Amino acid sequence: MDLGRLQQLLAPFARTLDAAHRTDHAARVRERACGWIESESLHDAELALVQTLALLLPFRASLQQTATRAAVEAVFVEAGWSAIKIRELFRALERLPDAPKSLEEKLVADADTIDRLGLIGLVRAMASAGASGQELGEALASLRKVLARRLYTPYGHRDATAAREALRGLLREIESAFAQK
């Protein structure tokens, strides 16, 4: 699969996404999920599928448009993917991040969740909130929901622990600062 070609095709859509959901987010998710495949010797996981799911994750809404989806599907057809495999990919995207089924989906879902935690998660949430005009309280409430988000793999659980604690501490600091005023 030529991920570069897919990235070129998606580039115009990336500019329409808020700062928290652009290609740098996809790159962090891809790096973490693929890192688990390597470090944990997950020979059953299909690396190309994980890379593709991670790349497409921020574009789920854009891919609901028929013309966009058709253009992306054409890239997969050119790469030799069967119609069934392409349909399964889009179904997997629909399940992410809250209802993954396959190992690949679970790896991407966990990597996405971890990217929403810690200092990076706080910064992403604030960027997204600012772009959408949310109040600070709404952004903090969404971060509290992220703390409770389910993880699907032992690697996700292990790696999320420190990031969850960091985010909890940051939330306590912010809430304390506002309580004093």
Side-chain angles (χ1 to χ4, degrees):
M1 178 73 217
D2 183 3
L3 293 178
R5 176 121 193 294
L6 198 53
Q7 286 175 317
Q8 279 183 320
L9 178 67
L10 296 170
F13 300 103
R15 290 187 279 279
T16 66
L17 299 173
D18 73 58
H21 299 95
R22 292 197 178 147
T23 53
D24 60 324
H25 165 63
R28 286 189 303 274
V29 169
R30 183 182 67 236
E31 184 177 318
R32 182 175 301 275
C34 292
W36 286 329
I37 290 172
E38 184 178 321
S39 68
E40 305 299 330
S41 301
L42 302 175
H43 304 295
D44 293 342
E46 186 182 335
L47 183 63
L49 180 57
V50 168
Q51 292 172 326
T52 305
L53 285 170
L55 176 63
L56 294 176
L57 188 64
F59 301 99
R60 286 185 319 253
S62 301
L63 293 172
Q64 292 176 359
Q65 300 170 10
T66 306
T68 307
R69 183 173 171 144
V72 169
E73 285 178 356
V75 171
F76 291 116
V77 168
E78 287 175 17
W81 285 40
S82 70
I84 292 171
K85 188 171 181 176
I86 295 168
R87 186 172 58 240
E88 302 249 338
L89 171 72
F90 282 99
R91 284 187 181 151
L93 280 170
E94 290 168 9
R95 288 189 292 269
L96 286 173
D98 298 320
K101 287 186 177 182
S102 70
L103 174 59
E104 293 84 358
E105 292 169 42
K106 290 174 182 178
L107 292 169
V108 171
D110 281 3
D112 177 58
T113 296
I114 291 171
D115 200 58
R116 294 171 187 265
L117 296 169
L119 184 57
I120 291 218
L122 177 69
V123 171
R124 287 185 63 223
M126 293 302 136
S128 185
S132 67
Q134 278 185 333
E135 301 259 337
L136 179 62
E138 292 173 280
L140 296 177
S142 80
L143 283 167
R144 280 188 220 93
K145 286 181 185 176
V146 170
L147 285 171
R149 223 167 140 176
R150 180 177 175 198
L151 291 158
Y152 299 92
T153 68
Y155 335 107
H157 282 281
R158 178 193 65 215
D159 293 357
T161 302
R164 269 197 169 124
E165 287 309 309
L167 182 57
R168 277 190 187 101
L170 291 165
L171 287 172
R172 278 193 298 272
E173 268 188 68
I174 292 168
E175 290 163 350
S176 173
F178 278 93
Q180 293 175 3
K181 292 190 176 198

